[in-house]
Amino acid sequence: MRLYAVVAAGGFRRYATYRVATAAGVFTNTVFGLIVAYTYIALWDERPRLGGYDLPEALTYVWLGQALLMTCAMMGGGFEDELIERIRTGDIAIDLYRPADLQLWWLAGDLGRAAFHLLGRGIVPMVLGSLAFDLVFPASPLTWLAFFVSVALGVVVSFAVRFLVALSAFWLMDGAGVMQICWLATLFFSGMLLPLNLFPGVLGEVARALPWSSLLQVPADVFLGKHTGWSLVQAYAFQAGWAVALLAAGRTLQRVATRRVVVQGG
């Protein structure tokens, strides 16, 4: 496990070197947060308590979305482009013969990336948002802890989805199209555009049952105190269940791809 801890630390340091890009990202997140926040104000003025949120909670949801946008790589920007390129060029064969698990290696690096983005591009927009609007922050340290646990589970779910998409390049040779479809699905079904609680009928039920809701909707509701006690346990079970299922699917696909590489290499 020490190896993967080193890889995670390396992932953190790697993204920490791009200081100008981080500053630009903070600016972008803040601008988009302001635009969406004022849109939400207009919407909640017409429909108070929409989706079960009052206006301060809805505005908090907006800024949580900006904080978790890059943390959970909802628009990409993680390991997947590099992994797809290594598959396309054949360099993945070297990775498969290394004495390290391919999935755990990339997961460790992605956890380091997520930790940096949570600190580097998450805190500042939230602080700026709180200066401009009346936001809701947990009063209990336990709620903060529960939130960070939920975010960590969301990051793992995000990684597992993107790992599956990246491995599709073994058969498609170019995962760009699949990745773009994944980004669109992530933005829509994570609750980034609108809280999933606002989705009507069957669409809402389906959206909340899909893995992407683990990236924003569930952590945001934990932050806002919507999940406590047994409800919090169920939220964790939902996220952990998707994480285990998707990681297992990725490991199965990895084994199939490894056999493919071995046969072709032989």
Side-chain angles (χ1 to χ4, degrees):
M1 294 303 295
R2 183 176 180 275
L3 169 64
Y4 302 111
V6 171
V7 173
F12 186 98
R13 289 194 301 270
R14 175 183 178 182
Y15 285 88
T17 58
Y18 301 108
R19 298 176 183 175
V20 175
T22 299
V26 168
F27 176 78
T28 302
N29 286 134
T30 303
V31 170
F32 274 100
L34 290 170
I35 294 172
V36 178
Y38 281 112
T39 303
Y40 272 42
I41 289 174
L43 181 59
W44 258 258
D45 280 345
E46 293 295 324
R47 297 283 302 277
R49 299 295 305 179
L50 187 60
Y53 302 118
D54 58 26
L55 182 57
E57 290 174 335
L59 292 173
T60 304
Y61 184 97
V62 169
W63 292 99
L64 285 171
Q66 296 305 310
L68 297 180
L69 179 64
M70 287 302 296
T71 302
C72 292
M74 298 184 204
M75 297 182 67
F79 70 95
E80 55 272 19
D81 291 331
E82 184 179 352
L83 180 54
I84 288 173
E85 181 63 17
R86 292 188 70 80
I87 294 172
R88 190 187 67 80
T89 60
D91 291 341
I92 190 66
I94 300 173
D95 300 336
L96 293 172
Y97 281 109
R98 286 174 178 165
D101 183 83
L102 182 72
Q103 189 184 59
L104 288 178
W105 176 281
W106 290 104
L107 173 59
D110 201 55
L111 290 174
R113 174 206 60 77
F116 171 75
H117 281 310
L118 183 62
L119 297 174
R121 290 184 60 170
I123 292 178
V124 175
M126 281 292 293
V127 171
L128 294 175
S130 68
L131 295 176
F133 304 99
D134 181 21
L135 304 187
V136 178
F137 289 95
S140 171
L142 293 179
T143 304
W144 281 99
L145 177 61
F147 168 69
F148 287 123
V149 171
S150 183
V151 170
L153 289 171
V155 171
V156 175
V157 172
S158 172
F159 164 83
V161 171
R162 289 176 289 125
F163 187 72
L164 284 168
V165 171
L167 290 184
S168 70
F170 274 107
W171 291 269
L172 301 178
M173 296 307 297
D174 185 1
V178 179
M179 187 59 67
Q180 289 176 356
I181 294 172
C182 180
W183 294 343
L184 291 174
T186 301
L187 289 175
F188 187 77
F189 288 113
S190 66
M192 176 57 67
L193 301 180
L194 280 173
L196 300 182
N197 295 341
L198 274 62
F199 287 20
V202 176
L203 176 60
E205 295 294 331
V206 171
R208 288 187 289 272
L210 292 174
W212 293 289
S213 65
S214 298
L215 279 57
L216 173 56
Q217 184 68 59
V218 175
D221 282 342
V222 172
F223 187 91
L224 294 170
K226 305 296 184 181
H227 291 304
T228 58
W230 180 245
S231 177
L232 179 61
V233 173
Q234 290 178 315
Y236 283 164
F238 173 80
Q239 291 180 291
W242 270 118
V244 170
L246 291 169
L247 288 173
R251 187 161 293 278
T252 300
L253 201 60
Q254 176 183 320
R255 292 195 190 101
V256 174
T258 300
R259 287 197 293 269
R260 180 187 177 91
V261 171
V262 171
V263 169
Q264 290 180 346

